[in-house]
Amino acid sequence: MKIEEAFRSASFSGAEEQAAAWMMEHPHQAAGMTVRELAAEVYVSPATILRVVHKCGYQGWRQFSADLLLYSESVKQRPVSINMSRPFGQQGSAAAIVSSIRSLFEQTVREAAALISLKDVEKAAGILSQADRIFVFARGDSSLTARSFMNKLVKVNIHPILATEYGQEIEESRNMRAGDVALFVSYHGQTRSLVRCASILREKSVFSILVTKEGISPLAQKCRLVLPVPAHEEKRRIANFHSRIGMEFILDVLFSVFYQRSYVRFEQHKSMLDQSR
């Protein structure tokens, strides 16, 4: 498409390159913003956005954003190059499996990065930073991914509570209070007990964050802030390759932004831990 070719052929400065790269990775979101909103999201000036528009051969934002929206729709229609649920079959060499799994990792991370809203990730990190207590809700395979995130928090002296550990998540949600934060990790967003917990927390005005596949789900409708991941994995699968990689990626990004907010304090704590070994 014209706009994709324009992005690739234009010569941008550092700030312009930053803005152009973000628009290429988030075309649907960018097309729905004003110039000022987009500039704030990417941390550049509105003038920088307009320079990108002009360098791409457009007179103004209206036509540019319209073509950007068309581009976003064309990207959605591009076929997925690998079966995320069954990346290999009964036949084939080990080398072919290595290639398939590598492609699965690369494509999942690329798509997950494109779905990230910087504003939402920073908001989630800020809310977690100010939480009195962090409760994590996750079942099945998602609980393993959630535990990895929790382990990172423990190493910086933050001790989250796995609300679903003993099957008492309903009781735990009723015990939560103002100042607490809930982090739900659920790929499909369909688990009834988690939906019920989210409903209880919504009634209690406890802030809830959800990491889940993109799209509408009962759990996504109950949580205050949703961090989406790609949604190419089916329930009938060889293993949770795609869902795990996508959710681990967004949780790693979330932890990194969270860590950066208290960088000096966390570095000092980790240094103390290292010295005590």
Side-chain angles (χ1 to χ4, degrees), residues 126-139:
I127 290 167
L128 290 174
S129 297
Q130 297 168 9
D132 292 337
R133 298 180 298 174
I134 299 172
F135 288 73
V136 178
F137 295 77
R139 301 291 296 272

Side-chain angles (χ1 to χ4, degrees), residues 243-259:
S243 57
R244 175 182 56 81
I245 294 164
M247 293 195 295
E248 282 190 352
F249 177 78
I250 187 63
L251 287 171
D252 281 350
V253 171
L254 177 58
F255 173 78
S256 299
V257 177
F258 173 85
Y259 191 102

